[in-house]
Amino acid sequence: MSDNDVAAKPKIKSKPKLERPKLYKVMLVNDDYTPREFVVVVLKAVFRMSEEAGYRVMMTAHKFGTSVVVVCARDIAETKAKEATDLGKEAGYPLMFTTEPEE
């Protein structure tokens, strides 16, 4: 080897560790005024649930006070919860969906 030869060192690229976004639960809160059929219609429209899945979620909230509707990223959860709650308000019902971090 001559003095002009340079040893090539491999460049190490370090990728920053990206954390997965924290997930949030959209919760259906039971009330005694919103008709069951309307709740199922909202679940079908906003969360794209089948009739049977919407009925199960609604009955779980009816029996236990709240029910998890879906678990997703924070911005999606907040948007869906607001959209569903607004549909209830437009129809004159106190239908309420909330979001909370998944543990």
Side-chain angles (χ1 to χ4, degrees), residues 23-78:
L23 297 177
Y24 279 71
K25 298 184 280 190
V26 177
M27 306 289 292
L28 167 61
V29 180
N30 185 48
D31 65 72
D32 294 332
Y33 303 102
T34 308
R36 294 177 179 184
E37 297 80 22
F38 181 76
V39 175
V40 173
V41 168
V42 169
L43 290 170
K44 285 171 58 178
V46 176
F47 299 98
R48 308 222 186 269
M49 290 188 166
S50 66
E51 183 90 22
E52 297 81 25
Y55 185 79
R56 281 196 305 269
V57 168
M58 178 272 303
M59 286 306 294
T60 302
H62 181 70
K63 290 178 184 174
F64 299 106
T66 61
S67 177
V68 176
V69 180
V70 69
V71 178
C72 53
R74 181 180 183 179
D75 56 339
I76 296 170
E78 289 175 350

